[in-house]
Amino acid sequence: MGRDSKRSWAEPWKVKVVEPIKMTTIEERRRALKEAGYNTFLLRSEDVYIDLLTDSGTNAMSDWQWAGMMMGDEAYAGSRNFYNLESTIREYYGFRHIVPTHQGRGAEHLLSQIMIKPGDVVPGNMYFTTTRLHQELAGATFVDVIVDEAHNPADESLFKGNVDLNKMEDLIAKVGAKKIPYVCLAATVNMAGGQPVSMANARALRDLTAKHGIKIMMDATRAVENAYFIQQREAGYANKSVREILKEFCSYTDGCTMSGKKDPLVNIGGWLAINDETIFEEARNLVVVYEGLHTYGGMAGRDMEAMARGIVESVQDDHMRARVGQVEYLGNKLIDADVPIVRPIGGHAVYLDARAFYPQLTQDQFPAQTLAAALYEDSGVRAMERGIVSAGRDPKTGKHHYPKLELVRLTIPRRVYTQAHMDVTAESVIEVYENRKKATGLKMIYEPKYLRFFQARFEVL
């Protein structure tokens, strides 16, 4: 969408520096997998050929961003790069107050500690791993209020990230508005397959929460990609720029957490943005305890400068068209080969439907973890599990969360790989799919207490 389908297209950049990557044999990959406990997070990057584990901090910066790195003001207090970042966020996202953090989860921690009281309920359009954990550690219970379509990989609805307003109203009636400190609105929704939220839904949610005095706090990690989907899919926005759409979307929220390692095209950094003066004052005070002074918050001056410049580049329509276009390219190759993936294709990744790959495996045999390991063994392509392992356990009962979706995420870093890398990836996925009946599943043999998907270890059943 958004381009002439009869003509080829190319990225709006050219390569200036390259990083060599290593080819491995299947014997080497099998050995590496066993040493890593069949967890792709525990593989050494030097043993990975095409790294699609995450788009977090793995992006390629532009020459303009690298030039900005040389202009870092590393003063402990009052760095000029902070004020540049602050003014850039205000200009492009529209929020009043900015608290810098070392990355997105630092902002999630501050927000949870400030706004949540024990016994509170935080509704959201599907959980995200670190976000939910911070909410739970602060004493809250997360409640999923996403539309039902989001839990069906084959559903072709264009805005599967939307909040179900009826679920939201029912929750308010059940627990009371005072028990809901804020709605956690993710744009796009990572765990649903990178699915967007419509502008109409954000506006309607704002109207509903305003009646009850409930704030909306956005996970803005990929809000620029969300704005692009609104431009491409929602009536009335085809002639608006991504930049304009982003600012309008943010206007329906009260603040956001941001991992600058995604949309803003940098390798480290984040922020908490707040419109409420009282919450901002508390966050600015608390950031000194956990992160660093309120004018650097865990980032070097050079990183703040690179992020400010990355924000400017991220909202350019040509950049976003190419960024999402590469994801669509990979996804469409898999669809053409009848490989089961989450549809519509998301903004930052293609999600393989592990349940459809391995119907012979139960969730307790970790089908998505099995698929991620099989893909690495076949080709050296590293992907990420997004299923029962990522879902973790209920903190009260200690039992597994059993999500409806068992996915493997092929996450595309921004401005890093060529279409040839996407071809190699597609061929490997197709090969693994053709051999799907051979899979026997995995058994978890080590489980850390928190965010187990990062460090858990498995063995083949």
Side-chain angles (χ1 to χ4, degrees):
M1 287 181 280
R3 65 173 72 90
D4 187 342
S5 60
K6 298 178 182 179
R7 299 292 296 270
S8 297
W9 62 278
E11 294 83 355
W13 43 263
K14 60 183 180 180
V15 176
K16 184 172 286 191
V17 177
V18 297
E19 175 187 348
I21 52 180
K22 186 175 82 174
M23 305 287 286
T24 56
T25 65
I26 191 165
E27 290 79 13
E28 289 171 331
R29 293 193 294 274
R30 284 171 177 163
R31 190 181 312 120
L33 257 183
K34 190 172 183 179
E35 290 175 357
Y38 297 88
N39 186 344
T40 52
F41 277 98
L42 299 180
L43 291 166
R44 296 182 180 220
S45 66
E46 64 183 3
D47 294 328
V48 174
Y49 177 40
I50 300 173
D51 201 344
L52 307 184
L53 185 76
T54 182
D55 62 331
S56 179
T58 57
N59 309 295
M61 293 200 298
S62 69
D63 53 358
W64 188 50
Q65 286 178 287
W66 278 110
M69 293 281 280
M70 298 304 296
M71 300 178 67
D73 173 8
E74 306 306 341
Y76 186 85
S79 167
R80 66 173 175 267
N81 307 120
F82 165 73
Y83 295 108
N84 185 24
L85 176 62
E86 181 184 55
S87 63
T88 303
I89 295 169
R90 285 173 174 167
E91 179 180 354
Y92 289 92
Y93 287 81
F95 298 112
R96 295 191 195 110
H97 305 298
I98 311 302
V99 178
T101 58
H102 76 284
Q103 63 182 68
R105 70 194 60 171
E108 293 171 352
H109 176 228
L110 292 177
L111 182 68
S112 299
Q113 290 298 312
I114 292 166
M115 295 193 68
I116 292 173
K117 304 184 304 296
D120 279 350
V121 172
V122 179
N125 53 340
M126 201 172 283
Y127 80 98
F128 183 67
T129 52
T130 59
T131 314
R132 185 178 69 186
L133 179 60
H134 282 302
Q135 292 164 355
E136 289 174 348
L137 290 174
T141 300
F142 172 81
V143 176
D144 190 357
V145 291
I146 202 167
V147 293
D148 290 339
E149 294 90 330
H151 297 287
N152 179 1
D155 191 288
E156 300 265 9
S157 300
L158 296 181
F159 291 100
K160 288 164 69 173
N162 281 356
V163 171
D164 186 318
L165 299 176
N166 290 327
K167 290 180 184 178
M168 189 66 214
E169 285 187 298
D170 289 346
L171 182 65
I172 295 170
K174 179 181 178 181
V175 304
K178 290 183 179 180
K179 281 281 188 182
I180 302 176
Y182 59 91
V183 180
C184 187
L185 180 69
T188 57
V189 182
N190 189 347
M191 304 301 281
Q195 300 300 313
V197 179
S198 72
M199 191 74 80
N201 187 250
R203 194 182 301 117
L205 181 64
R206 169 82 292 171
D207 291 342
L208 172 61
T209 56
K211 294 176 186 175
H212 299 277
I214 300 171
K215 295 187 183 301
I216 300 174
M217 301 303 297
M218 177 171 54
D219 178 347
T221 296
R222 299 179 183 89
V224 183
E225 292 174 10
N226 198 94
Y228 175 78
F229 280 126
I230 289 171
Q231 182 193 65
Q232 298 298 305
R233 298 177 180 179
E234 191 163 359
Y237 288 93
N239 296 320
K240 290 181 180 279
S241 68
V242 168
R243 175 179 174 175
E244 291 173 299
I245 295 167
L246 173 68
K247 199 161 186 179
E248 182 186 344
F249 194 93
C250 292
S251 73
Y252 300 124
T253 71
D254 298 287
C256 75
T257 58
M258 166 61 86
S259 171
K261 299 164 68 176
K262 281 86 168 179
D263 274 349
L265 295 162
V266 291
N267 305 122
I268 198 67
W271 74 77
L272 174 63
I274 294 289
N275 287 333
D276 185 282
E277 190 78 32
T278 302
I279 298 173
F280 166 64
E281 283 299 327
E282 194 166 351
R284 186 166 63 169
N285 185 254
L286 202 58
V287 74
V288 180
V289 178
Y290 293 113
E291 298 275 329
L293 199 67
H294 63 280
T295 54
Y296 75 89
M299 280 186 285
R302 56 183 174 268
D303 295 320
M304 290 190 284
E305 186 63 31
M307 186 152 60
R309 295 183 180 208
I311 290 169
V312 176
E313 293 180 347
S314 74
V315 298
Q316 294 169 0
D317 285 32
D318 286 344
H319 159 72
M320 194 50 61
R321 191 176 301 116
R323 191 281 182 281
V324 176
Q326 189 174 49
V327 180
E328 291 175 342
Y329 175 85
L330 173 59
N332 284 324
K333 287 186 77 71
L334 296 178
I335 289 172
D336 290 343
D338 295 323
V339 174
I341 69 170
V342 173
R343 302 169 74 163
I345 299 165
H348 68 292
V350 175
Y351 288 71
L352 308 178
D353 182 359
R355 282 183 186 271
F357 263 73
Y358 301 138
Q360 73 271 30
L361 302 184
T362 67
Q363 275 192 286
D364 292 307
Q365 293 170 321
F366 308 110
Q369 193 75 41
T370 300
L371 177 52
L375 183 62
Y376 173 77
E377 180 180 311
D378 178 76
S379 62
V381 172
R382 176 160 66 169
M384 179 195 293
E385 186 268 4
R386 279 300 183 225
I388 188 173
V389 184
S390 293
R393 295 182 183 273
D394 186 303
K396 295 178 181 176
T397 67
K399 295 181 179 180
H400 289 304
H401 288 297
Y402 286 92
K404 294 181 181 178
L405 297 174
E406 278 287 333
L407 307 176
V408 168
R409 190 179 78 176
L410 304 171
T411 333
I412 315 302
R414 297 161 187 81
R415 306 190 296 205
V416 171
Y417 290 117
T418 67
Q419 305 299 68
H421 291 106
M422 299 300 101
D423 292 338
V424 169
T425 300
E427 289 167 7
S428 179
V429 172
I430 293 166
E431 179 74 16
V432 171
Y433 185 59
E434 289 175 351
N435 290 294
R436 61 192 179 276
K437 293 182 180 179
K438 298 177 182 178
T440 58
L442 296 170
K443 178 174 72 172
M444 189 183 295
I445 58 173
Y446 168 70
E447 180 179 358
K449 185 175 181 180
Y450 300 119
L451 300 173
R452 64 187 185 181
F453 62 94
F454 283 130
Q455 299 178 59
R457 301 182 73 87
F458 305 84
E459 63 182 19
V460 176
L461 285 171

